Amino acid sequence: MYEMTIQCVATEEAIDFCDLLAEQIARFFSVQDCDMFVLSVHEAVINSVEAIKTLRKDAAKKTFLLSLRVTEEDVTVTVVDEGDGIPSKQLERMGEESLEDLLLAESGRGLLLIKEVMDEMWLERQENGKCAIAMRMRRGRNGSSDIHS
């Protein structure tokens, strides 16, 4: 099992870094769908960065955490930020709408996308009262890494 947590300042550079990290993790540990895994992590990170920038005047100093946990069966990703959490209206929509309903919308697809393409998605309440997005995708090829692809 492998575990790591990375703390990033909420910047465009951090988004790019997390995309690169997600891609390498997905390929090295052979998740079921590498592209959808990377896209899901990207959406969660974008949501965090946008929440921080929108809600915090001192956003340049605010951070988010990206945690990865790899087991023989799956890869779990958790993203926690210093924003105000996911609005309850958005959570309600997740139960009522599908990704297809919002396909052409300007925004609001990220959580639905994650919910539909990952094997599992859930929200976690943190000790500090914040809400984290967590997601899991199974590994392929009996959990073996394929570093040659």
Side-chain angles (χ1 to χ4, degrees), residues 39-51:
L39 182 58
S40 294
V41 173
H42 176 81
E43 289 295 331
V45 169
I46 286 276
N47 283 353
S48 287
V49 170
E50 287 180 359

Side-chain angles (χ1 to χ4, degrees), residues 9-10 16 18-19 34-35 46 57 61-62 65 80 86 104 106 120 122 143 148:
V9 175
D16 293 342
C18 291
D19 288 351
C34 183
D35 293 336
I46 286 276
K57 291 180 182 172
K61 299 177 187 173
K62 295 300 180 183
L65 298 175
V80 183
I86 300 166
L104 300 177
E106 266 186 52
E120 190 176 2
W122 64 97
H148 302 289

Side-chain angles (χ1 to χ4, degrees), residues 22-36:
E23 184 176 338
Q24 296 304 310
I25 293 289
R27 293 196 191 292
F28 187 82
F29 291 108
S30 304
V31 296
Q32 291 288 325
D33 189 330
C34 183
D35 293 336
M36 289 297 106

